[in-house]
Amino acid sequence: MIRSHFMKKKEQRKSKPSSSSSVDLSKMRELLRAYFSRRTLVTLYNLFLTLSRKLLASFPLSLVMPKSNDGAVAEPEAVPLLDLSKPSSPISFPIKALQDLKSRSYFDSFHFQFNRSTVPLRRISDGSPNRPRVLVCHDMKGGYVEDKWVQGCENDAGYAIWHWYLMDIFVYFSHSLVTLPPPCWTNTAHRHGVKVLGTFITEWDEGKATCKEMLATKESAQMYAERLAELATALGFDGWLINIENEIDEEQIPNLKEFVSHLTKVLHLSAPGALVIWYDSVTVRGELKWQDQLNEKNKPFFDLCDGIFMNYTWKEGYPKLSAEVAGDRKYDVYMGIDVFGRGSFGDGQWNVNTALDLLKRNNVSAAIFAPGWVYETAQPPNFHTAQNKWWSLVEKSWGIVQTYPQVLPFYSDFNQGFGYHVSLEGRQMSNAPWYNISSQSLQPLLEFSEDDRDIIQVTVDAREASYNGGGNIVFKGILEGDTHFTARLFKPHLPLSSSPITISYSVKSDVTSKLGIVLCFSSPSHETMSILVAPEEPIRRFNDMFLQCLATSQQTVSEWTVHETSLVMDGHTLTEISAFCYGPENSTKRTEYAALLGHISIKDHVQLQQKPDSLPPASLWFIEAHNIELVPGSSGTKILRVKLEWRQKHLEDSVFPRYNVYAENVKSTDLRSRKVLEKPRSETVFLGIAHVPNFYVSELVVESDVKGVWFVVQACAEDGSCGKLDDSPKLLLELEALSSKHVSTKMLLKASPALSLFSSGGGDLFPPSRNPSNLLISSSACRGSMFSVRAAKGTNTKSLTGVVFEPFEEVKKEMDLVPSTPLVSLARHKFADDSESAINDQINVEYNVSYIYHALYAYFDRDNIGLKGFAKFFNDSSLEERGHAEKFMEYQNKRGGKVKLQSILMPFSEFDHEEKGDALYAMELALSLEKLTNEKLLKLQSVGVKNHDVQLVDFVESEFLGEQVEAIKKISDYVAQLRRIGKGHGVWHFDQMLLHEEV
């Protein structure tokens, strides 16, 4: 049999310090942070450094260092660091060194592709809401604990947040230089409409040195800002909290301002709606002095970005003063509240609403720091109850800030991102505890009640059964006679059309515990009405309570009853979804009530037709195995490690939010294709859930009699439906074709029936393929033996013999430089990495400019604009810029580089200008774009000069620079002419000249 190892090894969980002294210092900092404010901590830290220097100066090193048995000073134990370039269980990690940020080494990591968030931000507009907002700053034990395991882990007691409806912005925080949010937080926050920011922080003396290097020149400040913007765009989060908590040389303040300004501008271009928020720490004089309010010492930074996070030791009058200084941007002032207390107004903890109430009255925003206090201090009676109680204080003070769903389909199985089992349509796939916040579905807005006055207690209890995933809503209590109970579930804002909608929900209960769903609507005239959706049994007794009572059809699925009905509410808006608990009709007894709600979904008519069997069949997928390792285990077993990759044919990007990954063993020597769940030859094991089209199997224990392993990838849609396992893409890995020793994939071949490998000792290394699946060849599998390739027509596999290749002595050195794997270019020669990177940047520039020109074409081509000449000009310009991008792509491939397409910013759709008019404004925009392109081309040329790449310099100069100068001159003439014409009738004549190419 095969068994999946979910639990990470203990050594994986240990930190990897470089020395004991640095570990002790970092632990001391973390311990102090838990009890002291930053201001106090800085004083203590400086005192500690002063004392330690004096002690080290007064005593020999041998007296303060531990000694080994032979009397020598003991060296700190060296703990090997994880090699992030090599395959291992995917993790999230920060960037700790400025050099790593500069070199973009993060993108070379094996883990990068797993760390991309795939859930787009649910939003109505790009801007921030025009009201006081709530920012929540995560601060949990230094960050990167259970949440660092991208594919999840088995610690079901990890920290989670599920009150997303009470916040606008979530900041992932740690004390590393560049804190990149693990994708689990970004995925689930985006699902709820919450923006996610990473943290850039410098502290202490190390931070001062970092800033000195980063801000050495204006160009270096811009470069590091661009690196941060690139990371946010590539990983899919929404911006940065900038926290400079060390002194800055005053002469470098202009460059610090440039860093903040440039980061904000670049982020806004690459990701509309992204945010840069400044932390109240260093002043415009370079002093580390927290102001606790917005004033002339920190406002210059506030003016350059999207907001300021005020330090949390502010006084009662400071919010009002800050609002006055901010003026129209008062909502961009986030007054800090430390939940631990530590000098925060109101003392935080269970009094957090004291500060929130004051901020709400003063019409500024709130920044809640370290809500994990509830978890870290083990507040009674348990984390789940204490967390719900604490967040109820926030709701009481601030109210609900997120409404969902706002679009269809809507689906929730109430999964909180951790549990004790995993189910699919009521069938349990795994009974192992797990933690993976990415798996959180839309969270219900359950109201917290500390006392027992409610007749029914409503909770999420992951230990109870689940219909899908690992969540549910549990309703337990007592119903007196014919009474009923209503519990709020969701607060949507969902406008409906004339198309029917279908409501479906699953229930597990006894015959006396009935559960319905109440839908509240607002009419076009703002009247409120409710509809009860409930089982078929008589519900006439509720007719007076609701506009309508709709009976559901029922279907039993694995001890769950799935209810479904349809309705039309044209022109109405769905505003609330509630659960409705009731018992049998005419009951006079006091009865116990117990029911589980497994899921709820709402689809429109079109989405309802998209059944699971309509998902793409296996024939429309590619699935491959990479980085294969097969190593000996205990008791004759083997441990298989492999990275799986898949995608749909003709589609580059994943279009499904989730994939279930399974493995099955094959004990028979007959390895023909078969149904996935066919017995008794196979045993299906649920491996986990992927939110990107990759999954790394880190520990699959395979018994000695297993001949092969099928891997199955089940796509799951946004509405909660999953494809049929029999029709899901699958890949067979034949273990007999792999060496029993350590096997590592070095080459991936698309094998044909006429290809086989033979060893020098006779016999097949790999037998002729029975089907065109992947043949995996490892250098370690062939080490120490010669092999030949037989290639013949049809099935004739006679070996080609007598063919010998012996290179000339003078080219042997060059032959050694020729790569042996298909992943490395054969043509690459004297082509620097930063040249390759700069060309990819230029490709992105050309595509972005082309995209903006295309938006201008669409604008002027409208029937209510009607300037066909401008439309033609900008369409031709768009095609020209795209042609430039393709020319750079062709050149990149010619030089042996790899084209890496980056994100393209979303352009504006309106180009009218109150003073200039749309024609002049558009042409001035075109001029600025051409100058930007020229500047980037010159930068690319300088990269070629720096790397002595004469060919690259010649390519840029001969193909682009001359043409660019001509384009700038031509559009400059157009701008000058349009400025003379103004906004009147002359624009039409100019348009006609453009149309007929007379200008």
Side-chain angles (χ1 to χ4, degrees):
M1 63 178 292
I2 55 178
R3 303 188 301 276
S4 175
H5 276 194
F6 288 86
M7 183 69 77
K8 308 303 174 188
K9 295 180 179 179
K10 289 183 178 179
E11 55 266 29
Q12 286 179 304
R13 296 186 180 278
K14 293 179 180 178
S15 60
K16 308 291 186 180
S18 58
S19 70
S20 60
S21 59
S22 62
V23 176
D24 293 341
L25 187 55
S26 64
K27 286 181 177 179
M28 179 178 292
R29 290 177 185 171
E30 292 302 322
L31 182 63
L32 291 172
R33 283 188 184 109
Y35 298 99
F36 298 100
S37 69
R38 281 183 172 81
R39 187 174 284 112
T40 305
L41 189 53
V42 168
T43 302
L44 289 173
Y45 179 73
N46 291 333
L47 177 61
F48 169 77
L49 286 180
T50 302
L51 291 174
S52 61
R53 290 190 184 105
K54 289 183 177 179
L55 285 171
L56 288 174
S58 303
F59 297 98
L61 190 62
S62 59
L63 295 181
V64 295
M65 291 291 288
K67 293 186 178 182
S68 61
N69 292 334
D70 60 1
V73 176
E75 293 291 334
E77 183 181 357
V79 180
L81 293 170
L82 178 67
D83 188 343
L84 297 172
S85 66
K86 294 182 178 179
S88 62
S89 295
I91 62 169
S92 299
F93 57 94
I95 297 174
K96 297 187 175 183
L98 199 62
Q99 178 58 36
D100 291 332
L101 177 61
K102 178 181 180 180
S103 67
R104 304 174 71 249
S105 62
Y106 180 86
F107 296 104
D108 298 324
S109 162
F110 172 80
H111 305 267
F112 160 59
Q113 58 193 315
F114 295 94
N115 273 275
R116 292 178 291 114
S117 168
T118 54
V119 178
L121 176 65
R122 177 190 61 76
R123 59 187 175 189
I124 299 177
S125 63
D126 290 332
S128 297
N130 189 32
R131 55 164 173 77
R133 308 169 203 130
V134 177
L135 178 152
V136 173
C137 190
H138 162 283
D139 180 41
M140 171 54 59
K141 298 182 177 179
Y144 302 101
V145 282
E146 288 83 6
D147 54 359
K148 73 181 175 185
W149 301 107
V150 177
Q151 295 175 173
C153 65
E154 270 199 346
N155 185 4
D156 55 280
Y159 177 67
I161 290 176
W162 51 86
H163 296 84
W164 299 102
Y165 53 92
L166 300 176
M167 68 185 82
D168 298 284
I169 303 167
F170 177 80
V171 178
Y172 193 80
F173 183 86
S174 81
H175 288 274
S176 295
L177 178 67
V178 181
T179 300
L180 302 169
C184 60
W185 291 105
T186 309
N187 282 335
T188 193
H190 280 184
R191 200 172 286 127
H192 293 85
V194 177
K195 294 182 179 180
V196 177
L197 309 186
T199 304
F200 180 83
I201 185 171
T202 60
E203 302 177 280
W204 319 107
D205 293 340
E206 307 98 301
K208 186 173 182 180
T210 296
C211 290
K212 193 175 185 66
E213 179 180 350
M214 180 179 75
L215 306 175
T217 64
K218 177 181 177 181
E219 290 73 23
S220 65
Q222 290 179 340
M223 182 268 289
Y224 285 111
E226 290 171 6
R227 292 291 188 267
L228 292 179
E230 180 186 31
L231 284 165
T233 304
L235 296 179
F237 59 93
D238 309 293
W240 293 96
L241 170 68
I242 305 299
N243 187 0
I244 308 297
E245 292 214 77
N246 49 258
E247 294 180 347
I248 298 285
D249 293 337
E250 190 169 357
E251 60 268 21
Q252 289 192 321
I253 291 298
N255 290 342
L256 178 58
K257 290 181 179 179
E258 178 63 26
F259 170 76
V260 176
S261 174
H262 194 66
L263 174 59
T264 305
K265 291 176 183 176
V266 173
L267 261 181
H268 287 180
L269 284 173
S270 60
L275 300 174
V276 175
I277 294 180
W278 175 262
Y279 189 81
D280 166 36
S281 48
V282 73
T283 70
V284 289
R285 299 293 300 273
E287 300 170 312
L288 180 58
K289 288 186 177 180
W290 300 271
Q291 300 301 300
D292 300 328
Q293 61 179 309
L294 186 64
N295 58 27
E296 72 283 355
K297 294 183 179 180
N298 52 27
K299 188 173 183 293
F301 298 111
F302 172 74
D303 293 336
L304 296 172
C305 62
D306 301 298
I308 187 168
F309 184 147
M310 302 306 308
N311 191 50
Y312 45 73
T313 52
W314 45 268
K315 307 302 180 185
E316 185 173 358
Y318 289 4
K320 182 179 180 181
L321 293 173
S322 298
E324 292 172 353
V325 173
D328 293 339
R329 292 189 60 199
K330 58 187 175 183
Y331 301 144
D332 295 334
V333 177
Y334 299 84
M335 302 299 294
I337 303 172
D338 182 9
V339 182
F340 275 84
R342 293 178 294 198
S344 189
F345 182 84
D347 296 326
Q349 302 184 11
W350 295 111
N351 300 311
V352 68
N353 51 328
T354 303
L356 287 171
D357 290 342
L358 178 65
L359 299 181
K360 194 71 179 289
R361 289 196 301 270
N362 285 281
N363 228 15
V364 293
S365 296
I368 300 173
F369 184 78
W373 167 81
V374 176
Y375 180 94
E376 290 195 59
T377 57
Q379 292 296 301
N382 56 64
F383 169 58
H384 201 276
T385 302
Q387 169 117 313
N388 288 334
K389 177 183 177 181
W390 188 88
W391 282 99
S392 72
L393 300 175
V394 178
E395 181 176 353
K396 182 179 179 181
S397 290
W398 214 267
I400 294 169
V401 301
Q402 296 288 348
T403 57
Y404 51 81
Q406 296 184 358
V407 294
L408 294 179
F410 160 61
Y411 171 83
S412 178
D413 53 33
F414 321 115
N415 191 328
Q416 290 187 332
F418 56 88
Y420 303 91
H421 52 260
V422 178
S423 298
L424 181 62
E425 294 184 341
R427 181 173 61 89
Q428 193 174 96
M429 299 187 297
S430 169
N431 61 359
W434 61 275
Y435 172 93
N436 187 347
I437 300 174
S438 274
S439 296
Q440 267 195 22
S441 60
L442 285 174
Q443 291 300 295
L445 285 64
L446 301 182
E447 296 176 272
F448 177 77
S449 177
E450 191 168 10
D451 53 37
D452 295 330
R453 287 181 298 178
D454 286 339
I455 56 177
I456 301 294
Q457 297 297 309
V458 185
T459 59
V460 173
D461 188 348
R463 295 185 182 275
E464 294 282 358
S466 302
Y467 180 73
N468 272 338
N472 55 50
I473 298 182
V474 181
F475 303 86
K476 286 185 178 180
I478 301 294
L479 284 180
E480 297 280 357
D482 213 16
T483 59
H484 60 270
F485 177 82
T486 303
R488 180 186 74 187
L489 298 181
F490 295 96
K491 297 284 287 185
H493 181 81
L494 188 59
L496 300 175
S497 66
S498 59
S499 176
I501 61 170
T502 298
I503 297 92
S504 172
Y505 65 99
S506 56
V507 176
K508 187 174 183 180
S509 66
D510 57 37
V511 293
T512 62
S513 301
K514 310 297 183 183
L515 185 63
I517 298 295
V518 177
L519 305 174
C520 295
F521 300 91
S522 175
S523 71
S525 59
H526 304 292
E527 294 179 299
T528 301
M529 57 199 70
S530 301
I531 293 178
L532 173 63
V533 176
E536 289 181 348
E537 55 264 10
I539 51 176
R540 295 185 303 274
R541 56 184 159 139
F542 303 124
N543 282 343
D544 294 338
M545 297 174 54
F546 303 101
L547 174 69
Q548 192 177 1
C549 294
L550 296 177
T552 62
S553 62
Q554 300 180 43
Q555 179 184 1
T556 302
V557 180
S558 301
E559 300 182 349
W560 290 80
T561 303
V562 179
H563 302 270
E564 186 172 286
T565 193
S566 298
L567 69 150
V568 176
M569 293 295 288
D570 187 16
H572 288 68
T573 300
L574 180 61
T575 58
E576 185 161 333
I577 303 172
S578 302
F580 188 77
C581 305
Y582 63 100
E585 190 173 17
N586 299 322
S587 174
T588 58
K589 298 180 180 179
R590 187 173 187 267
T591 57
E592 291 188 4
Y593 184 94
L596 299 179
L597 180 61
H599 86 285
I600 183 170
S601 72
I602 304 178
K603 305 177 186 178
D604 63 25
H605 179 69
V606 175
Q607 294 158 350
L608 185 64
Q609 308 307 313
Q610 298 173 350
K611 300 292 185 181
D613 54 9
S614 68
L615 294 175
S619 59
L620 295 181
W621 293 82
F622 289 116
I623 180 170
E624 295 179 343
H626 300 274
N627 305 112
I628 299 175
E629 290 182 82
L630 187 64
V631 298
S634 59
S635 304
T637 63
K638 301 172 186 175
I639 295 177
L640 177 64
R641 303 185 183 106
V642 58
K643 175 189 168 190
L644 303 174
E645 292 184 4
W646 58 86
R647 64 178 176 88
Q648 290 186 64
K649 295 179 180 177
H650 315 302
L651 286 177
E652 289 298 324
D653 295 325
S654 170
V655 293
F656 291 96
R658 192 181 88 243
Y659 303 90
N660 295 327
V661 183
Y662 305 85
E664 308 175 337
N665 64 3
V666 181
K667 293 186 178 180
S668 169
T669 55
D670 182 4
L671 298 177
R672 293 173 298 177
S673 181
R674 55 185 174 72
K675 289 186 176 181
V676 172
L677 296 179
E678 184 178 333
K679 302 291 185 180
R681 293 183 302 170
S682 67
E683 178 184 335
T684 303
V685 172
F686 174 71
L687 295 181
I689 295 174
H691 294 86
V692 292
N694 307 286
F695 189 84
Y696 186 72
V697 182
S698 58
E699 294 270 325
L700 195 64
V701 180
V702 184
E703 298 291 348
S704 58
D705 58 343
V706 172
K707 307 298 181 183
V709 177
W710 282 98
F711 291 103
V712 186
V713 178
Q714 181 184 39
C716 299
E718 193 175 1
D719 62 3
S721 62
C722 296
K724 293 183 178 180
L725 275 176
D726 288 347
D727 296 330
S728 297
K730 53 186 76 73
L731 173 71
L732 174 62
L733 200 61
E734 300 183 23
L735 302 185
E736 289 184 314
L738 302 174
S739 168
S740 61
K741 297 180 180 179
H742 179 86
V743 174
S744 168
T745 306
K746 300 298 183 184
M747 188 180 297
L748 181 65
L749 295 180
K750 301 292 186 181
S752 70
L755 177 67
S756 60
L757 295 184
F758 286 76
S759 68
S760 58
D764 293 9
L765 272 176
F766 295 94
S769 177
R770 286 183 282 273
N771 55 60
S773 60
N774 295 336
L775 248 181
L776 297 160
I777 303 177
S778 166
S779 60
S780 58
C782 305
R783 192 175 293 119
S785 62
M786 299 292 291
F787 64 90
S788 63
V789 180
R790 292 182 176 180
K793 183 178 180 180
T795 57
N796 181 4
T797 57
K798 290 186 177 181
S799 178
L800 296 173
T801 59
V803 180
V804 179
F805 175 71
E806 186 69 29
F808 297 109
E809 289 295 328
E810 56 268 27
V811 299
K812 277 189 175 181
K813 182 177 180 181
E814 292 297 323
M815 285 292 297
D816 291 338
L817 300 178
V818 177
S820 60
T821 75
L823 299 179
V824 180
S825 169
L826 298 172
R828 187 167 187 138
H829 187 66
K830 307 296 184 182
F831 188 49
D833 289 342
D834 52 348
S835 296
E836 178 183 3
S837 176
I839 291 174
N840 280 327
D841 290 342
Q842 189 64 36
I843 293 170
N844 182 252
V845 170
E846 303 289 349
Y847 270 128
N848 271 287
V849 173
S850 173
Y851 208 31
I852 296 172
Y853 281 152
H854 218 58
L856 286 162
Y857 152 71
Y859 171 82
F860 285 108
D861 193 52
R862 292 181 193 169
D863 64 321
N864 60 337
I865 303 297
L867 294 175
K868 300 298 182 181
F870 280 90
K872 177 178 179 295
F873 173 79
F874 285 117
N875 190 42
D876 291 343
S877 299
S878 176
L879 293 174
E880 181 183 6
E881 298 303 328
R882 175 170 178 156
H884 290 170
E886 291 173 351
K887 187 178 288 188
F888 274 113
M889 293 168 73
E890 181 183 348
Y891 181 79
Q892 183 84 293
N893 289 332
K894 184 184 295 183
R895 293 297 303 274
K898 183 181 292 185
V899 174
K900 294 182 180 179
L901 296 180
Q902 304 166 21
S903 300
I904 300 178
L905 64 92
M906 182 177 71
F908 296 110
S909 57
E910 301 295 333
F911 296 96
D912 196 13
H913 191 279
E914 185 176 354
E915 297 178 3
K916 301 176 181 178
D918 50 8
L920 175 57
Y921 177 72
M923 203 59 75
E924 287 181 345
L925 175 60
L927 179 59
S928 66
L929 290 173
E930 293 299 329
K931 288 183 176 180
L932 171 66
T933 303
N934 189 57
E935 182 181 336
K936 295 296 183 181
L937 286 169
L938 292 172
K939 183 178 179 181
L940 176 60
Q941 186 234 26
S942 68
V943 172
V945 172
K946 182 187 72 172
N947 292 313
H948 308 290
D949 193 333
V950 179
Q951 217 289 320
L952 174 59
V953 173
D954 177 69
F955 174 70
V956 174
E957 291 176 348
S958 61
E959 297 287 339
F960 297 100
L961 289 182
E963 177 185 325
Q964 202 63 34
V965 170
E966 292 176 2
I968 291 173
K969 175 62 169 66
K970 177 180 178 181
I971 297 177
S972 296
D973 291 343
Y974 289 173
V975 169
Q977 292 165 10
L978 285 168
R979 285 178 176 175
R980 289 178 177 274
I981 290 172
K983 296 192 296 183
H985 185 69
V987 172
W988 183 84
H989 287 285
F990 192 92
D991 178 74
Q992 292 300 302
M993 288 187 288
L994 283 177
L995 184 63
H996 299 97
E997 299 182 351
E998 294 180 6
V999 176

